[in-house]
Amino acid sequence: MAEHHPYGQHQYQHHQQQQPLSHQVVKAVTAVTAGGSLLVLSGLILAGTVIALTIATPLLVIFSPVLVPAVITVGLLIMGFLASGGFGVAAVTVLSWIYRYVTGKHPPGADQLDQARMKLTSKAREMKDRAEQFGQQHLTSQSKREYINEPVHLAVYIMKSFFLS
């Protein structure tokens, strides 16, 4: 079904035809004037750009041994200041997050940090228990006990036995 608009295509054309010819001419002249003015302005800007580039090119060639290193230096300085500022903002943000965490204000991500801490703690306890069990099972002979009296030898023995078995 076709939709009915108060100013449908036919009614819009009929409305345009009802306007006096003078209004239509004024609209056309205004549009041509605005469009022509903008076209002339863009041409003038293009011509000015070409003239400025023609004048500036010899100067840029003459001064390029000075300008290029100067631009590179200024660019590096700006990048350094921006990086320094960014790292400073990051540091302040991290320190404020840590302060809020330590004071118990529960900042965003604190739950994830607590879960990771508990997971690491449980894994560390598990590995400690496994190492103790492993040490008790494999330390039966006197020669092994004498060899691993020193902590360095114990660690080497546990690592070799754990990874080679």
Side-chain angles (χ1 to χ4, degrees):
M1 300 187 120
E3 295 181 23
H4 177 68
H5 295 290
Y7 284 97
Q9 186 68 22
H10 177 65
Q11 290 177 349
Y12 179 73
Q13 288 174 351
H14 182 67
H15 179 70
Q16 251 187 343
Q17 289 173 355
Q18 287 180 350
Q19 287 183 346
L21 184 61
S22 62
H23 281 113
Q24 291 178 357
V25 169
V26 168
K27 285 182 182 179
V29 168
T30 305
V32 168
T33 304
S37 298
L38 291 174
L39 192 60
V40 168
L41 186 62
S42 71
L44 288 174
I45 290 174
L46 178 64
T49 303
V50 169
I51 291 169
L53 188 59
T54 305
I55 293 171
T57 300
L59 294 174
L60 288 173
V61 169
I62 292 170
F63 292 114
S64 66
V66 174
L67 292 178
V68 171
V71 167
I72 291 172
T73 303
V74 169
L76 288 174
L77 283 171
I78 289 171
M79 287 179 7
F81 283 124
L82 288 176
S84 173
F87 287 133
V89 168
V92 168
T93 303
V94 167
L95 288 173
S96 69
W97 187 92
I98 290 172
Y99 175 77
R100 285 184 279 153
Y101 181 76
V102 168
T103 57
K105 294 182 180 168
H106 199 72
D111 294 334
Q112 293 172 336
L113 181 66
D114 291 336
Q115 288 176 354
R117 184 178 46 83
M118 285 189 265
K119 196 179 235 185
L120 283 171
T121 303
S122 69
K123 286 293 180 185
R125 280 194 192 116
E126 182 182 327
M127 290 304 293
K128 178 186 169 197
D129 294 342
R130 287 178 69 187
E132 286 176 356
Q133 289 174 359
F134 184 78
Q136 289 173 358
Q137 290 174 357
H138 292 89
L139 295 179
T140 56
S141 72
Q142 184 65 23
S143 62
K144 288 182 184 175
R145 285 191 191 124
E146 290 172 4
Y147 175 73
I148 54 177
N149 277 339
E150 296 181 34
V152 173
H153 294 295
L154 174 65
V156 169
Y157 176 75
I158 290 174
M159 296 292 270
K160 281 182 180 177
S161 301
F162 187 73
F163 288 112
L164 296 177
S165 59

